[in-house]
Amino acid sequence: MNKKELKAMLNDAFYAPEPEEKQSFLKSFPPRRITMVEFLLQQISYIRISSWIVFLAIVAVAIFGSAFGIGMTEDIVTMIMPFSVAVAMVEVNRSRKYNMAELEMSTRFSLRSVVFARMVILGIVSIIILAISSPVIAGTFGGKALQVAVRVLIPYLITMIICLRVERSTLGRGNGYISVVIAGAMALFISCADSYTPAIIACYRELLADWGLLMVIALFAIAFYEQWKTVKTMEAFA
């Protein structure tokens, strides 16, 4: 008996028939229900350590600058806060960057769900950063925490709106790091405005004292709309 005949006999002896009604059997075991909180907690583990470092750095700058009485602490936090938007956009673009979008669309959680969850997580983290930084800065340098939060939020929200619009463009889909450039341009603009147009900045701060909260609410509404449009069109662009 040669090797081929032995292999054929073994195949005949141990042949397993195709399982009948396999798909219906598998469908009889529905996936375990998962709450929104559990889903968000799962997605936290997929956010890179480098992204968390950026967020922690913003808090560290606020605390360090306040502890040592560095007068430009609020301006520095305002300039680096837009980079948290860039981090969020890079995280959103990871599926497309690593060619995982098609796989994520075919899994239990759609690509839209994953993108939405990451936006929610990073948005909550940004709010926590603001909730920590604003009272620390206000307590050290005077003023109200709400006013500090408004001054920091406006450039942050403008950056978010621009990044979300660019994300849906051909340029944004082809370059996941374009949001970093936008955040850098916003930081440069804030720095130049503080240095070269102090009179305009003084008028701007007076305007914020009267209308800042309404401006933030309006920008929040626009940012939410842009996020909704981005999530809605995400799978179409994958």
Side-chain angles (χ1 to χ4, degrees):
M1 181 182 298
N2 59 34
K3 194 176 291 186
K4 285 186 179 181
E5 292 174 343
L6 179 60
K7 186 175 180 181
M9 289 179 63
L10 289 173
N11 285 337
D12 292 337
F14 295 100
Y15 172 75
E18 288 292 328
E20 297 181 1
E21 300 181 354
K22 175 181 176 182
Q23 294 301 323
S24 59
F25 174 75
L26 293 175
K27 289 179 180 178
S28 66
F29 295 93
R32 183 180 70 85
R33 292 183 178 275
I34 182 171
T35 65
M36 177 60 72
V37 174
E38 289 176 316
F39 181 47
L40 293 176
L41 291 175
Q42 284 182 3
Q43 289 300 314
I44 286 174
S45 62
Y46 291 101
I47 297 175
R48 291 174 292 188
I49 295 176
S50 58
S51 299
W52 295 118
I53 291 173
V54 172
F55 287 112
L56 289 174
I58 298 172
V59 177
V61 167
I63 295 174
F64 179 85
S66 299
F68 288 89
I70 300 173
M72 293 182 62
T73 300
E74 182 185 329
D75 294 333
I76 295 171
V77 170
T78 304
M79 284 189 287
I80 61 178
M81 195 67 182
F83 287 98
S84 65
V85 176
V87 167
M89 298 310 301
V90 170
E91 289 293 337
V92 166
N93 270 300
R94 284 177 66 194
S95 297
R96 187 181 301 123
K97 178 183 176 183
Y98 295 107
N99 298 319
M100 294 292 290
E102 184 176 352
L103 178 61
E104 287 189 353
M105 282 191 293
S106 64
T107 57
R108 179 182 180 185
F109 303 110
S110 68
L111 180 60
R112 288 181 182 179
S113 300
V114 171
V115 169
F116 174 74
R118 291 177 185 172
M119 282 185 173
V120 169
I121 292 167
L122 296 172
I124 291 172
V125 172
S126 297
I127 292 172
I128 292 172
I129 290 172
L130 204 62
I132 295 172
S133 303
S134 299
V136 170
I137 294 171
T140 302
F141 301 102
K144 297 180 179 179
L146 182 60
Q147 292 176 344
V148 174
V150 165
R151 289 194 292 266
V152 174
L153 268 173
I154 287 179
Y156 168 83
L157 290 172
I158 292 173
T159 304
M160 180 184 294
I161 292 166
I162 295 172
C163 286
L164 288 168
R165 291 188 68 86
V166 172
E167 158 67 22
R168 298 195 303 274
S169 69
T170 304
L171 177 63
R173 295 197 301 273
N175 186 357
Y177 289 95
I178 191 68
S179 55
V180 179
V181 177
I182 295 171
M186 177 60 74
L188 182 62
F189 174 78
I190 295 169
S191 176
C192 292
D194 284 340
S195 301
Y196 298 107
T197 57
I200 296 176
I201 293 299
C203 293
Y204 168 71
R205 296 208 170 193
E206 288 180 8
L207 178 66
L208 291 186
D210 297 327
W211 302 97
L213 190 57
L214 289 177
M215 292 171 65
V216 166
I217 293 172
L219 289 171
F220 257 122
I222 297 171
F224 179 80
Y225 175 70
E226 294 296 336
Q227 286 180 332
W228 176 77
K229 287 182 68 176
T230 300
V231 172
K232 185 179 178 181
T233 57
M234 182 58 64
E235 290 181 353
F237 289 154

